[in-house]
Amino acid sequence: MRVHILTLALSALMVGQSSAQTLPYQLPPRPLAALADAPPMPRASFSPNGQWLLQLDMQERPTVFDQSQPELRLAGLRINTAVSGRSRMAHVRALRLRQLPKGLELLVQGLPANARISNLQWSPDNTKIAFTHSTRDHLELWVVDVVSASARLVPNIFLNGTLGLPYEWVSDSKTLVVRAVVGGRGAAPVAAPAEAERRYEHPVKTPLEEQMLGYYALSQVVRVGLDGRMAPLGQPGLIAQASPSPDGRFVLVRSYRRPYPTTLSLDRFPQRVQVLAMDGLLDKQLADLPAVDSLPEGLGAVPTGPREFGWREDVPNTLFWVEARDGGNPAQAAPVRDQLLTLAAPFEEPARELVALPARFRRIYWGSEQLVLVEGTRLKDRRQFVWPLDILTKTLQKPLLEYPERNAYAHPGTPVLQPNAQGRPVLLTDRSGTGVYLFGAGASSEGDRPFIDELSVRTRTSQRWWRSEAPYYEQPVLIIDPVKRSFITKRESDQQTPNYHLRTGPKLVAITQFTDSYAGLGSLPRMQPLRYQRPDGRAVMATLYLPAGYQAADGPLPTLMEVSPAMFYDSTGTTQVRGSQHAFARYNWGSPLYWTAQGYAVLQGVALPVPSASNTATPAAYTQKLTQAANSALAEGRRMGFIDTARVVVLGQGPGSSLATSMLAESSLFKAGIALPGLHNQSAQVRLLGEEQKGTPTELALDYAGVPLAPFELPDTLRRPLLVMPAGFDGLPAGLATRTEELYAELQRLGGTSVNYAALPGETHGYTARESLMQLLAQMNTW
């Protein structure tokens, strides 16, 4: 039996009777290492008025030391206990400002040494930028003056970013509302040795864990003036939201309260919603919500009672929220699914109904008393609607937009927002106030071709401003002047790195000149669509990446085929083209595209059949359908002369790792397999529920937490080499660490050679540290 599980003995873990050992990290061949070490692309942020460009120089890939910093996992959170913030965040190391269109680039001065910047936000008046900086033991608040390109620390306050963005600007651009670490909170609770073992689940199960969550997530809402004056608002708590009103007079505060459920994630904890006055003279409780310990079955199920609290963005100080009128049950027939209510300052009157919706609420686009758009989903057939709302009569007009949720070709685009005078996002309209603009992905049989449309709400007619044209993939970013049709786009091609441009009519002006991170490392792979028919008669499409410079005369190539579960609500989804062949290739940690540099073809996006909802077929029978579907894609690649079907490796990660293992075991289609971090053991039949039926909404259930894992068992038919690459402690229920140990034991049962087990320090559900990625590439290359 030739079963090979080649894993990494890098951490001090004990598995069965084996002895753990620490081995040095390896490096892959120089071409692969160079691709992995390519510097990250800068990111760009434009001021809301379109007059300034902020360039964000990103930090290089973190080291294993960075990834091994203290981390607490509770209630679905991953907390950096050193700074009371989220762990594993991407950071910015430098900022550059330039006034558009032709100003000089200025490196922002005064930044902290070895800056670890995140959470950037422009002020409402576009003159300042706030950000947080992570030191070794706290989270600081900094502010950049845009004109002088200089930064300064806001002193005497540490922020708490455990529950998300820890601050928001107030409309005067001179004040911020922050969530601060509570002074005098004392020393952190310390877990006893027996409780410090690695965890696979995150619920708050013990009094100690409740203390730890209360310690690290506890924060105080504070009004912070840029003049140095500060004032606490309300009481400390586990504050998930602290949003100032558009006029800056009030703050909407939503917090989690005790008792903390022992089996639920944080978003289902009991909550308290209140509104506070900035002057400290009002503390009004709006809702006291119980824990959401159960929901009706089905997509679109929601809790009863108020939810989705927010401010009307177009008026000074009016709250809104949503309440279900169908018991939150999508299976219940109901003429009204959701009701929107509003409550204006001073918040003493009963709430008033704004509108009743025949569908489940998704979002609202505020504009003015004359123009508001409401988006909802009709649950029975998953159709999306966008209605104009007449606020004066509280009625929905005829749908302005209507389309199937899963039909990418039919998606009309998303309404464009712009900040108003208070810096709040409202609909961008034409001069008459009755026309809106849409940004769309432009999915089509030619691939994605983003567009901008102008749509009249009054006449229901649309006009296409612009559409991305080959050989480029270009996305709209910001409309500068709708009258002149001036807007900013992000433009790239398969051989040109993304850069930003200003379009005014036919004129195109480059705004950025970001260099190609992969320059000098060889040409990028080219994308080749594969259109073919599956054995079940469905016309589908996959994407084949070929090595740079490949010519048909070079002959068929050895191929890596990546498999992944997919979700389809009808046959439309399987036939539609995804992505763009003109997009710039990116080498992420789990991307098989690295191997095009080694002469391989890479096949992605193969449409695999979903198992029957009745779940009556055996795992072997379903796996046979999977391999037949895969074979049809490979056969088309062979017909076109690209794929050598005698040399194909099947690769999967996450839920796809179990598919790869099953397909390798149950067919002779593949010569070898690779299972990257994932549920290596879980049979597809157990994990995937649903059925492809035209017009019938079904669900592909990939809920790690909600479905118990089956007993671990590998098929005895597994005879071909299998490379298994676990990460570290996954942090999901019944996660990777324990399941990979069981995989190790099962492979020992089957017999075979080179059966080893280890895990990479500091990693969870993938590879982030540079050392880990290099080890992954080295191990795969050797194998």
Side-chain angles (χ1 to χ4, degrees):
M1 184 176 296
R2 297 179 57 245
V3 178
H4 298 258
I5 172 170
L6 305 179
T7 64
L8 316 180
L10 296 172
S11 63
L13 296 179
M14 298 294 293
V15 180
Q17 300 299 316
S18 62
S19 299
Q21 57 180 314
T22 300
L23 299 178
Y25 286 95
Q26 302 174 41
L27 288 175
R30 188 169 299 174
L32 297 180
L35 287 173
D37 270 340
M41 285 288 301
R43 300 180 186 177
S45 172
F46 293 92
S47 63
N49 63 5
Q51 296 181 8
W52 290 90
L53 164 67
L54 175 67
Q55 178 178 319
L56 316 177
D57 293 345
M58 305 304 297
Q59 286 192 335
E60 304 289 334
R61 186 175 292 278
T63 66
V64 69
F65 175 80
D66 296 326
Q67 291 301 99
S68 300
Q69 296 303 298
E71 181 183 70
L72 174 67
R73 300 176 187 173
L74 278 177
L77 297 173
R78 293 185 175 184
I79 304 171
N80 180 334
T81 57
V83 302
S84 290
R86 294 289 180 93
S87 64
R88 303 175 186 273
M89 292 183 64
H91 291 100
V92 178
R93 60 180 176 81
L95 303 173
R96 304 171 192 272
L97 275 165
R98 183 155 62 89
Q99 192 167 16
L100 301 178
K102 297 181 179 180
L104 295 175
E105 181 178 275
L106 301 175
L107 181 66
V108 174
Q109 302 297 312
L111 295 177
N114 302 314
R116 294 169 60 83
I117 295 168
S118 56
N119 299 316
L120 292 103
Q121 280 196 90
W122 290 86
S123 65
D125 66 0
N126 303 278
T127 65
K128 304 174 188 69
I129 302 164
F131 64 83
T132 61
H133 170 243
S134 299
T135 71
R136 287 187 176 273
D137 57 9
H138 61 267
L139 195 63
E140 299 174 335
L141 177 64
W142 287 67
V143 175
V144 174
D145 178 78
V146 172
V147 173
S148 64
S150 60
R152 68 178 179 89
L153 171 69
V154 177
N156 305 320
I157 194 163
F158 297 160
L159 304 190
N160 191 318
T162 299
L163 299 181
L165 183 68
Y167 74 90
E168 289 190 32
W169 281 101
V170 179
S171 55
D172 64 1
S173 297
K174 300 176 182 178
T175 312
L176 300 104
V177 171
V178 310
R179 285 179 265 168
V181 171
V182 177
R185 63 178 177 171
V190 178
E195 298 175 13
E197 299 172 359
R198 66 174 182 264
R199 303 179 181 276
Y200 308 117
E201 302 183 38
H202 300 161
V204 180
K205 285 188 171 181
T206 67
L208 175 60
E209 289 172 335
E210 184 171 333
Q211 293 175 30
M212 296 174 77
L213 179 63
Y215 180 88
Y216 289 109
L218 183 70
S219 65
Q220 169 70 59
V221 179
V222 180
R223 186 185 74 240
V224 177
L226 297 185
D227 58 3
R229 290 185 291 183
M230 301 181 189
L233 303 175
Q235 299 300 314
L238 268 63
I239 298 168
Q241 178 183 3
S243 302
S245 59
D247 65 358
R249 293 178 55 200
F250 304 97
V251 183
L252 173 65
V253 177
R254 181 172 55 86
S255 56
Y256 302 112
R257 60 173 178 80
R258 287 182 169 87
Y260 303 146
T262 60
T263 58
L264 302 177
S265 59
L266 191 71
D267 61 335
R268 298 177 74 168
F269 276 26
Q271 297 185 40
R272 179 175 291 111
V273 184
Q274 59 193 133
V275 60
L276 309 175
M278 284 285 193
D279 58 13
L281 298 180
L282 175 69
D283 185 342
K284 171 76 172 180
Q285 181 166 303
L286 301 173
D288 195 5
L289 306 175
V292 183
D293 51 11
S294 64
L295 284 174
E297 293 185 1
L299 294 169
V302 297
T304 57
R307 68 182 201 278
E308 308 277 355
F309 284 87
W311 293 104
R312 275 192 61 173
E313 309 287 12
D314 57 333
V315 294
N317 46 43
T318 297
L319 292 162
F320 88 97
W321 63 86
V322 182
E323 294 187 17
R325 286 293 175 261
D326 60 359
N329 187 351
Q332 178 176 311
V336 174
R337 289 283 174 197
D338 277 338
Q339 179 187 33
L340 275 63
L341 299 104
T342 61
L343 180 62
F347 316 108
E348 297 297 337
E349 300 292 330
R352 298 180 179 181
E353 180 185 280
L354 178 63
V355 68
L357 297 179
R360 184 69 76 221
F361 173 83
R362 290 197 64 169
R363 69 170 298 179
I364 190 165
Y365 304 89
W366 300 104
S368 66
E369 293 287 343
Q370 291 73 40
L371 183 58
V372 173
L373 300 180
V374 182
E375 183 176 344
T377 302
R378 189 167 66 195
L379 302 175
K380 66 179 181 180
D381 57 1
R382 308 300 294 179
R383 290 188 70 81
Q384 300 295 111
F385 297 88
V386 176
W387 296 276
L389 170 61
D390 187 327
I391 289 184
L392 296 179
T393 63
K394 300 181 180 180
T395 58
L396 295 178
Q397 301 174 20
K398 179 183 176 182
L400 180 66
L401 303 171
E402 179 182 352
Y403 54 96
E405 182 179 14
R406 297 295 167 178
N407 187 343
Y409 288 4
H411 199 295
T414 303
V416 177
L417 304 177
Q418 69 170 6
N420 60 14
Q422 290 72 42
R424 312 300 287 230
V426 297
L427 286 166
L428 175 63
T429 61
D430 62 9
R431 286 178 171 176
S432 70
T434 62
V436 297
Y437 304 92
L438 306 174
F439 283 174
S444 73
S445 59
E446 303 169 287
D448 288 352
R449 296 183 59 191
F451 62 81
I452 302 176
D453 279 357
E454 182 176 351
L455 175 61
S456 171
V457 178
R458 180 173 53 84
T459 65
R460 309 300 176 99
T461 58
S462 66
Q463 182 181 10
R464 180 143 296 176
W465 269 23
W466 166 88
R467 189 184 188 194
S468 178
E469 298 286 347
Y472 297 99
Y473 174 60
E474 193 169 0
Q475 306 168 74
V477 174
L478 179 69
I479 293 179
I480 303 296
D481 187 336
V483 175
K484 296 180 180 178
R485 295 193 176 183
S486 177
F487 55 98
I488 292 172
T489 66
K490 183 181 179 183
R491 191 177 196 232
E492 61 191 273
S493 75
D494 60 345
Q495 297 297 319
Q496 293 183 14
T497 190
N499 269 291
Y500 293 87
H501 294 74
L502 176 64
R503 284 188 172 274
T504 305
K507 187 178 180 181
L508 181 69
V509 177
I511 296 175
T512 62
Q513 291 81 37
F514 298 151
T515 57
D516 183 355
S517 301
Y518 305 117
L521 304 180
S523 301
L524 296 171
R526 67 180 178 91
M527 173 182 168
Q528 173 66 52
L530 290 185
R531 293 179 173 86
Y532 60 97
Q533 191 174 65
R534 231 167 48 181
D536 58 10
R538 295 180 184 236
V540 293
M541 177 181 168
T543 303
L544 185 67
Y545 288 91
L546 300 168
Y550 172 81
Q551 301 292 329
D554 297 337
L557 300 173
T559 301
L560 273 72
M561 190 188 86
E562 185 175 32
V563 294
S564 175
M567 182 186 295
F568 302 115
Y569 284 80
D570 55 43
S571 59
T572 303
T574 63
T575 63
Q576 294 186 342
V577 180
R578 308 288 174 170
S580 170
Q581 67 185 89
H582 306 300
F584 189 77
R586 293 163 175 82
Y587 295 85
N588 301 316
W589 78 262
S591 173
L593 293 183
Y594 284 101
W595 306 104
T596 61
Q598 298 292 93
Y600 289 84
V602 172
L603 181 60
Q604 293 181 307
V606 177
L608 300 176
V610 177
S612 169
S614 61
N615 210 25
T616 56
T618 64
Y622 173 60
T623 303
Q624 185 178 18
K625 289 185 177 181
L626 293 176
T627 54
Q628 288 173 348
N631 185 47
S632 59
L634 294 171
E636 176 61 16
R638 179 182 59 203
R639 186 194 67 79
M640 298 178 71
F642 299 137
I643 294 176
D644 181 353
T645 52
R647 294 184 293 167
V648 179
V649 172
V650 60
L651 176 150
Q653 55 185 298
S657 62
S658 64
L659 294 183
T661 303
S662 297
M663 294 168 73
L664 181 67
E666 300 292 346
S667 78
S668 59
L669 193 60
F670 307 102
K671 297 304 178 186
I674 302 174
L676 296 181
L679 298 169
H680 309 302
N681 63 294
Q682 196 57 44
S683 72
Q685 185 68 4
V686 173
R687 297 300 298 175
L688 308 180
L689 307 176
E691 185 173 7
E692 292 174 299
Q693 293 178 350
K694 186 173 182 180
T696 302
T698 58
E699 181 178 4
L700 184 63
L702 295 176
D703 181 2
Y704 287 97
V707 181
L709 291 171
F712 198 101
E713 184 176 357
L714 279 177
D716 291 334
T717 52
L718 186 59
R719 293 291 187 273
R720 294 173 183 80
L722 172 65
L723 173 65
V724 180
M725 303 289 291
F729 307 143
D730 180 68
L732 294 169
L736 295 181
T738 185
R739 303 305 287 185
T740 307
E741 290 176 12
E742 293 176 358
L743 172 62
Y744 171 84
E746 181 67 8
L747 285 166
Q748 286 184 314
R749 180 189 69 80
L750 289 176
T753 60
S754 302
V755 182
N756 302 300
Y757 171 78
L760 289 168
E763 302 294 356
T764 57
H765 201 51
Y767 299 107
T768 305
R770 178 186 184 273
E771 296 92 334
S772 301
L773 177 58
M774 293 299 178
Q775 180 70 44
L776 168 70
L777 296 176
Q779 195 75 56
M780 289 180 66
N781 184 74
T782 301
W783 176 81

